[in-house]
Amino acid sequence: MSHLKGNVLPDMPWQEKPANCRMPVWRYSENPIITRDAVPNANSIFNSAVVPFGEGYAGVFRCDSRSVSMDIFAGFSKDGIHWEISAQPISFEGDPEVTKREYRYDPRVCFIEDRYYITWCNGYHGPTIGIAYTFDFKTFYQLENAFLPYNRNGVLFPRKIGEHYAMLSRPSDTGHTPFGDIFYSESPDLTFWGKHRWVMGQITGDASAWQSKKIGPGPTPIETDEGWLLIYHGVINTCNGFVYRIGCALLDLEKPWIVKARSRNYILAPQELYECVGDVPNVTFPCAVLTDAPTGRIAIYYGCADTVTGLAFTTAEELLQYMKDYPLEETT
Ligand code: BMA
C-alpha cells in the first residue's frame, strides 16, 4: 500500500528502478530533459518547478539569459518531459513597488485550494521570497514579499497547517551564503508571516558531511501517512567550492518544525557528466516533484550544474525505508 496522499497521476513521467540500482533514487534514462538553449536567448535552464495542469502539466522555469540575468518563464507540457517554454519572462500584475524586477530565480509552484502559487528568490534590495498566484499560467498576480531580505528557497506547504498557510525558507546573506538552516513560518493570508520556527540545520563534524555547510528546502513537501516528506539540498564546502547534493527528511504532519527522521546518506548527488560539468559544476538542486498517490511514485525535477534540468524517480516507500536504513540520529 502506498504511503502517499494527494494527486492521482497514473500517466506521470515514470521509469521502473533498474535492477542493478543500489540507490533509492534513479535518473531518467534520457536526461537532461531540458537543454540549456530550449529558450531562444537562454544561457541555461535549471532549478525549475512543474505541476499537473489541465490534461497535462505546467511549470515555471529559471532561464538565465545570455547576458546572464536571472528570470522565470512559464511553460507547458503534455507528458511532463517535453516542454514548450515561453520566450518571454513572466510579467506580474500587482503593486509596482513589489513587481519592480531586480532578479528572479529558483521558482517553486504549489497548488493550494483553488490556484497555483509561485514562490521564488526575488531581488528586493537583496534576495527575499517573492510570492504570486495564477489560475492559468498566463496571468500572474504578485503579492508582497514574504520576508525581509535576506532569504532564499521559499517553499509553501500544499495545505494549511491548522488555520494558517505555511512555508519553509532559508534565511541567508547577499552572497554565496556560507551558512543555512531551514525555518518554518505561518501566515493567515499569505501576506503577513510569523510563528517562525527552526526546523533543521547543517550537520557539523563527520556524521553526514555532504550537508555540513548549509541546507535548504527543495520541492513542495509531500504528504504521507507518516509525515511530510521533505526533499532538500545539502551543501559541503570543498577545495573546489560548494557541492550540492540531495537528501530527504520527514516532518511532523501537524507541527512541521519537528523533524521525525532524516537521512544520513544523500539520495542523489552530482555524478553524471551533466551534473558535474556546466556553469557551476557539481550541483544537483531539486525544485519540484510530481506524485501519484495510489502507487507512491515520485518524479523529482532538479537543476543540474546550474545549466540544464534533469528528472529522477523514486517512491515514498523507498525514501521512508532509506531513512530507516541510514538514519541520522542527530536531527539538529
Ligand atoms: C545557490 C543558488 C542556486 C544555485 C546554487 C549553486 O546559491 O544560486 O540557484 O543552483 O547556488 O550555484
Side-chain angles (χ1 to χ4, degrees):
M1 204 194 71
S2 160
H3 292 278
L4 278 191
K5 301 188 176 177
N7 289 324
V8 178
L9 271 187
D11 297 328
M12 67 178 253
W14 183 253
Q15 286 178 333
E16 293 298 334
K17 185 173 184 172
N20 58 357
C21 177
R22 291 184 178 171
M23 292 293 292
V25 174
W26 53 99
R27 294 170 179 80
Y28 179 54
S29 57
E30 307 304 313
N31 266 354
I33 59 165
I34 302 171
T35 56
R36 65 185 308 161
D37 56 358
V39 165
N41 191 39
N43 165 74
S44 44
I45 307 176
F46 57 108
N47 300 4
S48 299
V50 311
V51 282
F53 177 72
E55 299 292 295
Y57 304 90
V60 177
F61 298 83
R62 169 175 176 177
C63 306
D64 291 5
S65 73
R66 291 189 194 131
S67 65
V68 194
S69 67
M70 305 179 283
D71 215 330
I72 54 180
F73 294 59
F76 298 93
S77 171
K78 288 195 172 71
D79 60 8
I81 293 172
H82 302 91
W83 287 89
E84 282 180 27
I85 304 172
S86 168
Q88 298 301 326
I90 293 171
S91 84
F92 290 92
E93 309 288 322
D95 186 327
E97 176 64 18
V98 181
T99 58
K100 196 166 64 180
R101 176 188 171 279
E102 282 183 24
Y103 50 80
R104 303 182 176 122
Y105 65 85
D106 292 0
R108 306 329 197 251
V109 185
C110 182
F111 182 78
I112 311 177
E113 293 161 352
D114 64 348
R115 64 194 73 186
Y116 302 88
Y117 288 93
I118 323 296
T119 52
W120 68 94
C121 179
N122 191 40
Y124 185 76
H125 307 275
T128 182
I129 305 301
I131 308 184
Y133 67 85
T134 183
F135 295 99
D136 57 8
F137 287 87
K138 290 182 179 140
T139 309
F140 293 81
Y141 304 91
Q142 190 168 348
L143 306 175
E144 297 290 329
N145 292 307
F147 305 120
L148 290 169
Y150 312 109
N151 200 310
R152 294 190 176 93
N153 300 300
V155 177
L156 289 164
F157 284 77
R159 65 164 173 83
K160 286 180 176 172
I161 305 296
E163 304 278 288
H164 294 148
Y165 297 98
M167 178 151 64
L168 299 171
S169 74
R170 215 285 308 282
S172 67
D173 63 11
T174 52
H176 300 294
T177 315
F179 60 87
D181 293 357
I182 297 175
F183 285 80
Y184 168 90
S185 307
E186 287 190 2
S187 171
D189 55 6
L190 290 155
T191 296
F192 298 96
W193 292 87
K195 195 174 172 179
H196 308 296
R197 302 269 170 114
W198 184 83
V199 179
M200 59 184 192
Q202 72 201 64
I203 300 297
T204 49
D206 186 53
S208 189
W210 64 270
Q211 50 186 332
S212 55
K213 177 52 76 179
K214 57 178 172 174
I215 60 170
T220 300
I222 304 165
E223 189 165 6
T224 76
D225 55 6
E226 296 191 17
W228 294 103
L229 187 52
L230 177 68
I231 295 173
Y232 67 95
H233 65 262
V235 181
I236 184 174
N237 194 16
T238 74
C239 59
N240 281 325
F242 290 163
V243 175
Y244 282 68
R245 293 182 174 87
I246 303 176
C248 64
L250 191 66
L251 311 181
D252 186 84
L253 275 182
E254 299 314 320
K255 296 178 178 167
W257 55 92
I258 296 174
V259 180
K260 296 174 72 176
R262 184 171 170 184
S263 67
R264 171 182 297 267
N265 289 0
Y266 62 77
I267 60 170
L268 190 78
Q271 290 168 355
E272 296 296 325
L273 198 60
Y274 56 90
E275 297 161 341
C276 300
V277 177
D279 284 9
V280 183
N282 305 318
V283 178
T284 50
F285 195 96
C287 286
V289 287
L290 295 174
T291 59
D292 178 45
T295 57
R297 290 173 176 179
I298 299 172
I300 305 170
Y301 290 76
Y302 66 106
C304 307
D306 283 11
T307 304
V308 296
T309 303
L311 177 61
F313 305 110
T314 185
T315 65
E317 184 71 43
E318 287 268 4
L319 296 184
L320 293 170
Q321 189 58 45
Y322 201 63
M323 283 187 275
K324 289 177 186 144
D325 293 345
Y326 298 97
L328 189 64
E329 307 299 349
E330 173 212 0
T331 49
T332 49

